[in-house]
Amino acid sequence: MPNFTFYQRVSRAFHESSSLSKLLVLFTVSGGTGALVAYAEADRSNNGAFIGSSETVSEKKKVVVLGTGWAGTSFLRNLNNPRYEVMVVSPRNYFAFTPLLPSVTSGTVEARSIVEPIRNIFRKKRMDIEYSEAECLKIDAENRKIYCRSSLNNNNNGIEEFVVDYDYLIIAVGANVNTFNTPGVEEHCHFLKEVEDAQKIRRTVIDCFERASLPIVSDEERKRILHFAIVGGGPTGVEFAASLHDFVNEDLGKLYPRVKDLVKITLLEAGDHILSMFDKRITAFAEDKFKRDGIEVKTGSMVVKVSDKEISTKEMKNGGEITTIPYGMAVWSTGIGTRPFIKDFMKQINQANRRALATDEWLRVEACDNVYALGDCATINQRKVMEDIAAIFKKADKDNSGTLTVKEFQEVIDDICERYPQVELYLKSKQMRSIVDLLKEAEGDVKKESTELNIEEFKAALSNVDSQMKFLPATAQVASQQGAYLAKCFNRMEECEKNPEGPLRFRGEGRHRFKPFRYKHLGQFAPLGGEQTAAQLPGDWVSIGQSSQWLWYSVYASKQVSWRTRALVVSDWLRRFVFGRDSSQI
Amino acid sequence: MPNFTFYQRVSRAFHESSSLSKLLVLFTVSGGTGALVAYAEADRSNNGAFIGSSETVSEKKKVVVLGTGWAGTSFLRNLNNPRYEVMVVSPRNYFAFTPLLPSVTSGTVEARSIVEPIRNIFRKKRMDIEYSEAECLKIDAENRKIYCRSSLNNNNNGIEEFVVDYDYLIIAVGANVNTFNTPGVEEHCHFLKEVEDAQKIRRTVIDCFERASLPIVSDEERKRILHFAIVGGGPTGVEFAASLHDFVNEDLGKLYPRVKDLVKITLLEAGDHILSMFDKRITAFAEDKFKRDGIEVKTGSMVVKVSDKEISTKEMKNGGEITTIPYGMAVWSTGIGTRPFIKDFMKQINQANRRALATDEWLRVEACDNVYALGDCATINQRKVMEDIAAIFKKADKDNSGTLTVKEFQEVIDDICERYPQVELYLKSKQMRSIVDLLKEAEGDVKKESTELNIEEFKAALSNVDSQMKFLPATAQVASQQGAYLAKCFNRMEECEKNPEGPLRFRGEGRHRFKPFRYKHLGQFAPLGGEQTAAQLPGDWVSIGQSSQWLWYSVYASKQVSWRTRALVVSDWLRRFVFGRDSSQI
């Protein structure tokens, strides 16, 4: 080992000195929302003499990133432009691989195996990145400041709050749990958003079994304690129900043979089906499998109140009848809400009536310079074609003839499709190959080149296009792609300022700097327990069973952010196969 | 995997039915402190018909074990007499391999890797063992009852306390931390007794680094926050200091390069040296290594007060001067105290002035029928030879001649040595081969066979023997050996009742049922960090360095209670070598 350490030291020393001799000299010219930065690299032939002074270095643009979840971490991992000075502010000093949280609740995977310190993620980058463990309290977009509070409260000497300036602000703070103001939920239900939540659920499951095993507890009480209620039939709730069922049947049953037959798992869903966002075949398979497994699925059951021992539900199928169900542990996993300081910020910028921070297609918060929002706290406010139809027509009608030839139209087709992704979705839904077909449909079957449309005909042709506008789901996949997209924009900020690569500005001059964000759906998994997983892949390809489980294993292993977590997660799975899951209260 | 699960099911079904057909029939006859139990095993040729009824089964003797630490777990693991009905009561439903706790503080080993659910430990035994997660509140030895309170407090419906009857009570509840009533220790110091303590320390170390990295903290404050004070220079304190130093230097330094040079570790010891229970060579090596590593060792420094940011010490070397040291995190590891309900029990049985429950050499609590105590909560009250000298003389003097010949003496030598272990230690310390040498010394050099001693000469010969009486240290090794010893006694209770195998009763008739407990010291380790460990093995064999570290690895791996924890601990070590330690706040 000493050799190993020695090697590390030598390597570190080398890296440090080499980066010193490559010290960057920056001449920064600000302009509008972008920044034009010219830089020179002091090369080694220069005898290591430093060019420039510390003042020029400090003129780096300051990027503040709020949050270390999927979006923030993906941004940091992909950012590699040394012309920024980055400050990360988050109450969690680690990134957590949240799709494995349900596995943590049952101990299939350890909490530590799915987290990676954020400092580890950016430590090897040749960039100026700092991290502060604090939560953001307030955003002052006018003065480009954020107010933070350290979330550590041991021996803090009263110093708690501080202010950070920014040139660019990246808001990637994720979302809260949404209780829909249901009384008792905050006090009595478990959530499944953070690593600590999963650990708490795991301890509580064991606690329930221990309590039910006490000699003085009545049988009725045992039944209540061992009734696990899960509210919300989305992917998280379903996966948790399945993994809890496996935990009980494969592991806890052996350790608590006296009480295992009293265990009951109930999944409460207000809608008509669980996994409603998936293909119907998956929903049917899941409902069927749960029935066989003895997991009760109550659909059309809306929770209206939670007390310490009972859940009250409104049964939609029985005309809104209120019933109460005794329970031992309840897990609430129904949708997401907005964090309080984001709500305040939304009020400031006149978005108070929205669910999440509205951004344009470039992830810029609307009406807010140099503020970006991505991940669960944001929603892209896709521009409608019909809002811009006159501008589009005018731009396309180059000869100002008042009519649009197919040729004229074809010249702007790519820009339209890029700027308004709903066009492409609409074409796909109508099984058309190109936008020209749309015009044909409007005009009847005429020869391509000769077709001419006036503005009214053009409007009519595109009138239904906006119906295909879709909100992106609040998933890790979206957040991660947004983070990577935004980092690439930041990496090429100066370059694209000079040579814009985006679509035509229909309502202005020139082109947009960047291509707008476009989400690429890679598919979604729904693990159903017992080594069965449902997978819905792009092109509506559905796969259910053990093969999907192995696909799940390989995808989740490959998506880990570091070799360390990858090795840990895989070894956790192996350990579970060999030794089962642990049931200590740790 | 379905195959695997199927195999498990078949195997379980087989075990269950086979144990049913082997149902034991018990005819229990109680008598004195023991129990004479005859039993028959319904064999399989009996067509599986059950012999006996449930009433006879319920006449099993009820053994209640308090605690799931080293002593209690060792007892449970070694017990294999199906004539007992065992009830385990402990607030912890797992056994923790405590010697690895310092490794948990730095993340070298994960908390979960060193714990094993207690139900897993006894699950495969063909015995009637139940576990209740509760803490004992009160022992009523007169009525053979213990009062327990469930330590789970979620949705408990008001049911919290219950009473358990026992025939035999095994007290193995360990000890508290001893603060010596130093003000502020409870509030501001960390301890290192439980798994949760180690996890909390780990989180606090990371917290200190995060806090010191905040932009608003002054340099002076940074220094304070990164000052780690460890009170107590025993093996735990020293190992913790060493592992913290490694954690900082090998892992945290890389992630917190800006603050790593401000870190300071101080070890405060009231005595003149650290590791005073070890060989002087080890102490010197440790002090020297710590000096080289930059860990400050302050000996003769007694902590008199701890406030939220400062520790006040009395400097023995400077005439008792009081100095104050600012600190960021303090760990208190100085000796052990008595748990409150044990203190109450000690008052009941007139042991109020003792440090721990006094037992005889058979681990029976003094003046208390059928109550046994072992591990850190107990101390063996070794009987003095001089107290029994007249009885010994009388027993040995078979012809009642008033004098003892060497021959007469030789006949009881083995019994004396067995009953009074200090005799052997005394002989060893004087480098004598046998007890006869002692008499010779008293008599001068005379011929063996003809030597005769009267009672006064006999007293004189043995007068110094009791000086070699030793208290056993409060270690895992002692507790574990005591548990195994007691289980073996319980396993052979009936057998030994008929054929006692212990030494002569010098003050009564016949022989003791069992041989008294005898501790066999197997050596002790003191890991000093940087892959250096000091080992003191039996025969005062001292080994320091990397070879001892490998010995340490192999001993600690082999001593794990299950293959699961063994595999986990070893894979944790490997992981540390490959990926370093994790620094997330989990």
Side-chain angles (χ1 to χ4, degrees):
Chain A
M1 286 320 108
N3 298 341
F4 185 63
T5 317
F6 176 66
Y7 166 72
Q8 285 179 320
R9 277 191 203 134
V10 171
S11 130
R12 201 188 316 149
F14 171 73
H15 284 306
E16 273 164 10
S17 64
S18 79
S19 69
L20 277 175
S21 68
K22 284 179 187 167
L23 196 79
L24 300 172
V25 188
L26 306 173
F27 308 98
T28 314
V29 184
S30 304
T33 57
L36 190 68
V37 180
Y39 74 106
E41 195 175 356
D43 70 14
R44 301 187 67 110
S45 64
N46 222 336
N47 292 327
F50 301 146
I51 302 179
S53 67
S54 60
E55 284 98 69
T56 55
V57 173
S58 72
E59 281 176 40
K60 286 180 175 182
K61 286 279 177 188
K62 194 161 181 185
V63 178
V64 172
V65 180
L66 298 182
T68 50
W70 278 96
T73 303
S74 169
F75 176 80
L76 288 173
R77 289 180 74 198
N78 286 283
L79 192 69
N80 55 26
N81 188 336
R83 279 154 282 176
Y84 298 111
E85 187 188 320
V86 182
M87 168 76 142
V88 185
V89 177
S90 169
R92 293 190 332 201
N93 78 353
Y94 54 84
F95 163 78
F97 192 87
T98 46
L100 283 175
L101 280 183
S103 300
V104 173
T105 59
S106 60
T108 308
V109 164
E110 285 308 318
R112 193 169 300 280
S113 307
I114 65 164
V115 302
E116 182 69 26
I118 193 73
R119 290 172 190 274
N120 239 347
I121 289 173
F122 62 66
R123 146 172 101 90
K124 280 172 193 154
K125 286 193 176 276
R126 299 285 177 76
M127 284 183 63
D128 191 357
I129 308 187
E130 281 295 315
Y131 166 78
S132 281
E133 186 171 309
E135 51 183 341
C136 181
L137 292 180
K138 196 188 145 195
I139 298 169
D140 179 356
E142 216 161 290
N143 301 304
R144 298 197 179 175
K145 283 181 196 308
I146 58 162
Y147 293 80
C148 306
R149 181 168 58 203
S150 159
S151 42
L152 307 155
N153 53 11
N154 57 324
N155 301 7
N156 54 30
N157 210 6
I159 304 171
E160 279 217 301
E161 299 191 4
F162 57 96
V163 181
V164 180
D165 297 312
Y166 67 82
D167 293 309
Y168 299 105
L169 178 65
I170 319 282
I171 306 176
V173 294
N176 263 358
V177 168
N178 196 348
T179 65
F180 302 102
N181 294 320
T182 313
V185 173
E186 288 277 5
E187 300 89 320
H188 304 298
C189 287
H190 288 264
F191 303 116
L192 194 40
K193 291 254 342 146
E194 305 285 340
V195 176
E196 286 87 352
D197 295 338
Q199 290 177 308
K200 223 169 123 194
I201 287 176
R202 179 172 178 171
R203 276 195 295 269
T204 309
V205 171
I206 310 289
D207 274 1
C208 288
F209 274 85
E210 287 299 352
R211 173 158 288 276
S213 304
L214 287 178
I216 32 146
V217 176
S218 70
D219 268 359
E220 195 192 355
E221 180 73 358
R222 271 183 232 277
K223 269 190 192 168
R224 176 185 74 76
I225 294 170
L226 292 175
H227 181 211
F228 300 97
I230 297 138
V231 185
T236 310
V238 167
E239 188 178 348
F240 172 64
S243 72
L244 179 63
H245 174 262
D246 285 357
F247 190 23
V248 170
N249 273 39
E250 294 171 13
D251 301 277
L252 293 177
K254 289 181 207 155
L255 295 191
Y256 302 84
R258 291 196 175 190
V259 298
K260 71 170 176 180
D261 294 331
L262 303 175
V263 177
K264 195 181 158 198
I265 301 172
T266 304
L267 188 60
L268 300 165
E269 163 62 42
D272 287 338
H273 289 287
I274 59 171
L275 296 179
S276 52
M277 65 292 294
F278 280 86
D279 190 278
K280 274 175 194 164
R281 286 166 286 176
I282 292 179
T283 300
F285 180 86
E287 287 177 351
D288 210 51
K289 179 170 190 308
F290 277 14
K291 205 171 184 180
R292 286 199 309 275
D293 287 347
I295 300 173
E296 193 184 351
V297 178
K298 280 183 84 174
T299 53
S301 188
M302 185 194 264
V303 174
V304 290
K305 195 185 144 195
V306 181
S307 75
D308 59 341
K309 295 192 190 68
E310 280 178 342
I311 294 178
S312 306
T313 61
K314 197 170 173 181
E315 298 301 321
M316 306 308 197
K317 290 172 181 169
N318 293 344
E321 188 197 346
I322 303 286
T323 59
T324 58
I325 316 164
Y327 76 94
M329 183 183 90
V331 174
W332 187 269
S333 69
T334 63
I336 53 170
T338 319
R339 295 198 188 274
F341 86 96
I342 294 290
K343 258 185 202 156
D344 285 348
F345 180 53
M346 284 162 72
K347 271 182 208 158
Q348 270 182 55
I349 58 173
N350 298 320
Q351 296 195 0
N353 55 344
R354 290 184 164 273
R355 186 194 63 80
L357 272 169
T359 70
D360 62 15
E361 294 87 341
W362 290 268
L363 309 184
R364 294 177 298 199
V365 174
E366 286 184 350
C368 225
D369 276 352
N370 297 342
V371 180
Y372 297 78
L374 52 168
D376 288 2
C377 67
T379 177
I380 296 177
N381 199 5
Q382 180 66 53
R383 208 162 167 83
K384 288 183 187 159
V385 172
M386 293 319 276
E387 281 176 309
D388 295 343
I389 194 85
I392 298 171
F393 188 87
K394 205 177 157 204
K395 200 78 158 196
D397 183 19
K398 277 191 182 167
D399 55 4
N400 282 320
S401 63
T403 56
L404 217 56
T405 62
V406 168
K407 206 183 160 204
E408 278 178 326
F409 189 55
Q410 266 173 338
E411 275 171 27
V412 292
I413 278 175
D414 290 345
D415 290 304
I416 293 176
C417 285
E418 199 160 82
R419 181 70 185 81
Y420 308 97
Q422 60 266 44
V423 176
E424 221 162 321
L425 291 171
Y426 183 78
L427 293 177
K428 212 181 244 174
S429 74
K430 294 279 174 189
Q431 290 168 327
M432 291 176 178
R433 260 168 311 150
S434 90
I435 203 164
V436 178
D437 295 333
L438 253 187
L439 304 189
K440 274 199 235 166
E441 195 188 43
E443 271 290 287
D445 194 32
V446 287
K447 271 182 204 157
K448 274 183 189 175
E449 299 297 316
S450 64
T451 313
E452 288 198 20
L453 292 103
N454 62 23
I455 177 87
E456 289 311 316
E457 286 163 335
F458 187 61
K459 267 188 196 171
L462 294 171
S463 60
N464 289 320
V465 164
D466 289 329
S467 65
Q468 286 297 321
M469 274 173 45
K470 272 183 185 160
F471 286 108
L472 297 178
T475 62
Q477 215 176 125
V478 170
S480 170
Q481 289 184 19
Q482 289 182 334
Y485 163 81
L486 196 60
K488 276 169 201 152
C489 292
F490 271 74
N491 289 341
R492 305 168 64 240
M493 189 80 90
E494 302 80 18
E495 203 179 318
C496 291
E497 194 71 44
K498 281 188 227 156
N499 306 308
E501 58 171 27
L504 272 178
R505 290 182 199 264
F506 290 106
R507 309 205 304 169
E509 285 312 303
R511 294 187 156 269
H512 289 277
R513 268 185 304 175
F514 306 110
K515 290 184 178 175
F517 171 71
R518 190 69 71 84
Y519 172 58
K520 197 179 167 196
H521 186 63
L522 300 173
Q524 203 174 357
F525 288 105
L528 301 171
E531 300 294 311
Q532 305 280 316
T533 285
Q536 183 164 359
L537 300 170
D540 283 331
W541 193 67
V542 166
S543 156
I544 305 173
Q546 208 164 353
S547 57
S548 313
Q549 178 74 29
W550 287 101
L551 185 64
W552 182 88
Y553 281 130
S554 41
V555 168
Y556 277 31
S558 71
K559 289 285 177 191
Q560 296 297 321
V561 287
S562 72
W563 280 103
R564 193 187 67 86
T565 57
R566 191 166 298 134
L568 290 181
V569 164
V570 172
S571 74
D572 281 352
W573 287 331
L574 287 174
R575 184 212 59 196
R576 202 271 288 173
F577 282 128
V578 179
F579 299 111
R581 303 169 183 89
D582 177 54
S583 67
S584 320
Q585 288 149 320
I586 291 293
Chain B
M1 284 319 110
N3 298 339
F4 185 65
T5 317
F6 176 66
Y7 166 73
Q8 286 180 320
R9 277 193 202 134
V10 170
S11 128
R12 204 188 313 149
F14 170 74
H15 285 306
E16 273 164 10
S17 64
S18 78
S19 67
L20 277 175
S21 68
K22 283 180 186 167
L23 195 79
L24 301 172
V25 190
L26 305 172
F27 308 97
T28 313
V29 186
S30 304
T33 58
L36 191 67
V37 180
Y39 76 107
E41 195 175 357
D43 70 15
R44 303 184 66 110
S45 63
N46 224 333
N47 289 327
F50 300 146
I51 302 180
S53 67
S54 61
E55 282 96 72
T56 54
V57 172
S58 72
E59 280 177 38
K60 286 178 174 181
K61 286 282 179 186
K62 193 161 181 186
V63 178
V64 172
V65 181
L66 298 182
T68 49
W70 279 96
T73 303
S74 168
F75 176 80
L76 288 172
R77 291 181 74 197
N78 286 282
L79 192 69
N80 53 25
N81 189 336
R83 279 155 283 177
Y84 298 110
E85 187 189 320
V86 182
M87 168 77 143
V88 185
V89 178
S90 168
R92 294 190 332 201
N93 80 351
Y94 54 84
F95 162 77
F97 192 87
T98 46
L100 283 177
L101 279 185
S103 300
V104 173
T105 59
S106 59
T108 308
V109 164
E110 285 308 317
R112 192 169 301 279
S113 307
I114 65 164
V115 302
E116 183 70 24
I118 194 73
R119 291 173 190 271
N120 238 348
I121 288 173
F122 62 65
R123 147 171 100 93
K124 280 172 194 154
K125 287 190 174 278
R126 299 286 176 77
M127 285 182 63
D128 192 357
I129 308 186
E130 281 294 316
Y131 166 79
S132 281
E133 186 171 308
E135 54 183 338
C136 182
L137 291 179
K138 197 188 145 195
I139 298 168
D140 179 358
E142 217 160 287
N143 300 305
R144 298 199 179 173
K145 282 181 196 309
I146 58 161
Y147 293 80
C148 305
R149 182 170 53 204
S150 159
S151 41
L152 307 156
N153 52 12
N154 58 322
N155 302 7
N156 54 33
N157 210 4
I159 303 170
E160 278 219 301
E161 299 192 4
F162 57 95
V163 181
V164 179
D165 296 311
Y166 66 82
D167 294 311
Y168 300 105
L169 179 65
I170 319 282
I171 306 176
V173 293
N176 263 359
V177 169
N178 197 348
T179 64
F180 303 102
N181 294 322
T182 313
V185 173
E186 289 276 5
E187 298 90 321
H188 303 297
C189 287
H190 287 265
F191 303 116
L192 194 39
K193 292 251 345 142
E194 306 286 340
V195 177
E196 285 88 352
D197 295 339
Q199 290 176 308
K200 222 169 124 194
I201 288 177
R202 180 174 178 171
R203 276 194 296 269
T204 308
V205 171
I206 308 289
D207 274 0
C208 288
F209 274 85
E210 286 298 351
R211 173 158 286 279
S213 304
L214 287 179
I216 33 148
V217 177
S218 70
D219 268 359
E220 195 192 355
E221 181 73 358
R222 271 183 231 276
K223 268 190 192 167
R224 177 185 76 73
I225 294 169
L226 291 174
H227 181 209
F228 299 97
I230 297 139
V231 186
T236 310
V238 166
E239 188 178 348
F240 171 65
S243 72
L244 179 62
H245 174 262
D246 285 358
F247 189 23
V248 170
N249 273 38
E250 293 170 15
D251 300 279
L252 293 178
K254 288 180 210 157
L255 295 191
Y256 302 85
R258 290 197 175 187
V259 298
K260 72 170 177 182
D261 294 331
L262 303 175
V263 176
K264 196 180 157 196
I265 301 172
T266 304
L267 188 60
L268 299 164
E269 164 62 42
D272 287 339
H273 289 286
I274 59 170
L275 295 179
S276 53
M277 65 293 292
F278 278 86
D279 191 280
K280 274 175 195 163
R281 285 167 286 177
I282 292 179
T283 301
F285 180 86
E287 288 176 348
D288 212 49
K289 179 169 190 311
F290 277 13
K291 206 172 184 178
R292 284 199 308 275
D293 287 346
I295 301 174
E296 193 184 353
V297 177
K298 280 184 82 174
T299 54
S301 187
M302 184 194 264
V303 174
V304 291
K305 195 183 145 198
V306 181
S307 76
D308 60 341
K309 295 194 191 67
E310 281 180 340
I311 294 179
S312 305
T313 60
K314 197 171 174 179
E315 297 301 322
M316 306 306 198
K317 289 173 182 167
N318 292 345
E321 187 197 344
I322 304 285
T323 59
T324 58
I325 315 165
Y327 76 95
M329 183 184 90
V331 174
W332 187 268
S333 69
T334 63
I336 53 170
T338 319
R339 294 199 188 274
F341 86 96
I342 294 291
K343 257 185 201 157
D344 286 347
F345 180 53
M346 284 163 72
K347 271 180 207 158
Q348 270 182 54
I349 58 173
N350 298 319
Q351 295 194 4
N353 53 347
R354 288 183 167 275
R355 183 192 65 80
L357 273 170
T359 71
D360 64 14
E361 295 85 342
W362 291 268
L363 309 185
R364 294 178 299 201
V365 174
E366 286 183 351
C368 225
D369 275 352
N370 296 345
V371 179
Y372 298 78
L374 52 167
D376 288 2
C377 67
T379 176
I380 296 178
N381 199 5
Q382 181 65 53
R383 210 163 164 85
K384 289 182 183 160
V385 172
M386 293 319 277
E387 282 176 306
D388 294 343
I389 195 86
I392 297 171
F393 189 86
K394 206 175 156 205
K395 200 77 158 195
D397 184 20
K398 279 194 179 164
D399 55 5
N400 281 322
S401 62
T403 56
L404 216 56
T405 63
V406 168
K407 204 184 161 203
E408 278 176 324
F409 189 57
Q410 264 170 339
E411 277 171 24
V412 292
I413 278 176
D414 289 345
D415 290 304
I416 293 176
C417 285
E418 198 160 82
R419 181 71 184 81
Y420 309 96
Q422 60 265 49
V423 174
E424 221 162 318
L425 289 172
Y426 184 76
L427 293 175
K428 211 180 245 174
S429 75
K430 293 279 173 190
Q431 289 168 328
M432 293 173 176
R433 260 166 312 147
S434 89
I435 202 164
V436 178
D437 294 332
L438 252 187
L439 304 187
K440 272 200 235 162
E441 194 188 44
E443 271 288 289
D445 193 29
V446 287
K447 268 182 208 158
K448 275 183 191 178
E449 298 297 318
S450 62
T451 315
E452 286 198 20
L453 292 102
N454 61 23
I455 176 87
E456 291 310 317
E457 287 162 335
F458 187 61
K459 268 189 194 169
L462 294 173
S463 58
N464 289 321
V465 164
D466 289 328
S467 65
Q468 285 298 319
M469 273 170 44
K470 274 183 183 159
F471 285 107
L472 296 179
T475 62
Q477 212 175 129
V478 170
S480 172
Q481 289 184 21
Q482 289 181 336
Y485 163 82
L486 196 62
K488 276 171 201 151
C489 292
F490 271 73
N491 288 342
R492 304 168 64 241
M493 189 79 91
E494 303 81 18
E495 202 180 318
C496 292
E497 194 70 43
K498 284 188 226 155
N499 306 306
E501 58 172 29
L504 271 179
R505 290 182 197 263
F506 289 109
R507 309 204 304 171
E509 287 309 306
R511 292 186 160 270
H512 289 278
R513 268 185 304 174
F514 305 110
K515 290 184 177 172
F517 171 72
R518 191 69 71 85
Y519 173 58
K520 197 177 166 196
H521 186 63
L522 299 173
Q524 203 173 356
F525 288 105
L528 302 172
E531 300 294 310
Q532 305 279 317
T533 284
Q536 183 163 2
L537 300 169
D540 282 331
W541 193 67
V542 167
S543 156
I544 305 174
Q546 209 165 354
S547 57
S548 313
Q549 178 74 27
W550 286 102
L551 185 65
W552 182 88
Y553 281 130
S554 43
V555 169
Y556 276 30
S558 71
K559 290 284 177 194
Q560 295 297 322
V561 288
S562 74
W563 281 103
R564 193 187 65 87
T565 57
R566 191 166 298 132
L568 289 183
V569 164
V570 172
S571 73
D572 281 352
W573 287 330
L574 288 174
R575 184 211 57 196
R576 203 271 286 169
F577 282 128
V578 179
F579 299 110
R581 303 168 182 90
D582 177 54
S583 67
S584 319
Q585 289 149 321
I586 291 292

